[in-house]
Amino acid sequence: MSAGAKPGSKVRWAILALLFFSTVLNYVDRQTLSILATTIQADLGIDDIGYAHVVQLFLIAYTLAYFVVGWITDRLDSKLALALFVGWWSIANMVTGLVHSAGQLGAARFALGLGEAGNYVAAPKAVSEHYAPHERGFAVGVYTAGAMVGATIAPPLIGWLALSYGWRTAFVATGALGFVWMAAWLVLRHGQPSQTAVGAAAEKPSIGAILSDKSVWGLALARTITDPVWYFYLFWFPKYLGDARGLPLAAIAATAWLVYLAADIGSVGGGLLSGRFVRRGAAPIASRLRVMGMGACLAPLGALIAFQPSLPVTYGLAALVALSHMMFLGNLTTLAVDRFPQARVATIFGLIAAGSGIGGIISTQLVGAFAATRDYGTVFLVMAALHPIGWLIARATAGKPVEARQ
């Protein structure tokens, strides 16, 4: 490796720390609206249908952006691209605090979605540039865990800001944190990519080669199928506890952190585990698939929730699903970093990550239809089948790396 990116160097771990915090901010900023939804709806006169349209605009922008932000990241580099994305979504979040109508709110959240997608292509690019194969799983796990941390700290932080200074200030203040992050990110001297990355950078497959590679679409399909499980447990599980199990809001809020904690353990632990396999001599892609397979075996246990076991067992099963999904997702991300040339990894990962947005848009409508009839049992049973299917698709399409353009 070059002098600027030696194994164990402080610069690389500072980069990882900032990737973690950018992901924390990413989730805090996207959750600000959901936490303050009732207050904002009352102030701006927006009904539930109007609010649903605002949320859909964010999801649509978030999904479409994946087809572009990866290309931008590969054309620039991870340092400049991520600064651009964080700056964009921070401004969008601050502008949300200035809106006065449903249309303006939708436009602001559409802009937020365009920027927030960039975090999840620039971060894998940075990992490919600065970390060896046996370290990548841990690095991906750490920055991915930032999402759970952001989801955990957002409610008390946003609630305090809104109650103390008003809901508009909550958007402006959280958005301003992005510029503090940008200052640290741009001042940091990132050094040079590792020699492994430099060698991979010489491989630059054409767009045609990328689009014809079955593993690109296989991994995208795996995310389309499996990410709805996470969306369900993140957005609908608390509603299930209230609707089907009769828990009051205070009890749900006091125990939700258990699922997020389990997700963090799965994210970091799954990365460490696949890294251990690599250090013991296993091929990187085979190591990622092995851990993904473990997650795919554990996640179906969530089907037992359909039979309404005791609340402690229900929480334990939900935590196990969250842990298993993050084991699966973190290693799928790392597999993509291992699998594709560094010069194109952000472009390719954008296509793969778009599968997540598509899955989220489709599953939200379907789950909503079942939830309206309180038929949560069917949802738990269907969700239990998705990770094994996703793993079989990923395993079947992992293949050999795309060939470099001659």
Side-chain angles (χ1 to χ4, degrees), residues 322-346:
L323 181 147
S324 303
H325 176 74
M326 286 303 164
M327 287 176 61
F328 188 98
L329 175 60
N331 278 280
L332 187 153
T333 300
T334 313
L335 189 157
V337 173
D338 294 328
R339 168 73 174 72
F340 301 109
Q342 181 264 329
R344 291 288 199 191
V345 72

Side-chain angles (χ1 to χ4, degrees), residues 132-151:
H134 70 276
E135 300 171 319
R136 289 173 180 167
F138 173 72
V140 170
V142 167
Y143 81 68
T144 302
M148 306 311 106
V149 173

Side-chain angles (χ1 to χ4, degrees), residues 147-159:
M148 306 311 106
V149 173
T152 303
I153 69 173
L157 174 62
I158 301 307

Side-chain angles (χ1 to χ4, degrees), residues 18 32 46 74 99 117-118 127 140 148 157 199 213 243 254 266 308 312 318 324 327 349 351 359 361 390-391:
L18 287 170
T32 304
I46 302 173
D74 282 332
V99 303
V127 169
V140 170
M148 306 311 106
L157 174 62
D213 188 336
D243 291 347
Q308 296 200 358
S324 303
M327 287 176 61
F349 196 80
L351 297 176
I361 292 171
W391 181 78

Side-chain angles (χ1 to χ4, degrees), residues 1 3-22 126-127 129-143 181 184-185 188-192 268 271-272 275 279:
M1 293 188 179
K6 293 179 180 178
S9 68
K10 293 182 179 179
V11 169
R12 292 189 315 129
W13 301 115
I15 290 172
L16 182 57
L18 287 170
L19 291 176
F20 170 82
F21 283 114
S22 74
V127 169
E129 290 172 339
H130 296 287
Y131 290 88
H134 70 276
E135 300 171 319
R136 289 173 180 167
F138 173 72
V140 170
V142 167
Y143 81 68
W181 181 93
W185 179 253
L188 182 67
R189 297 184 62 185
H190 288 223
Q192 297 297 317
V268 177
L272 286 171
R279 285 194 298 272

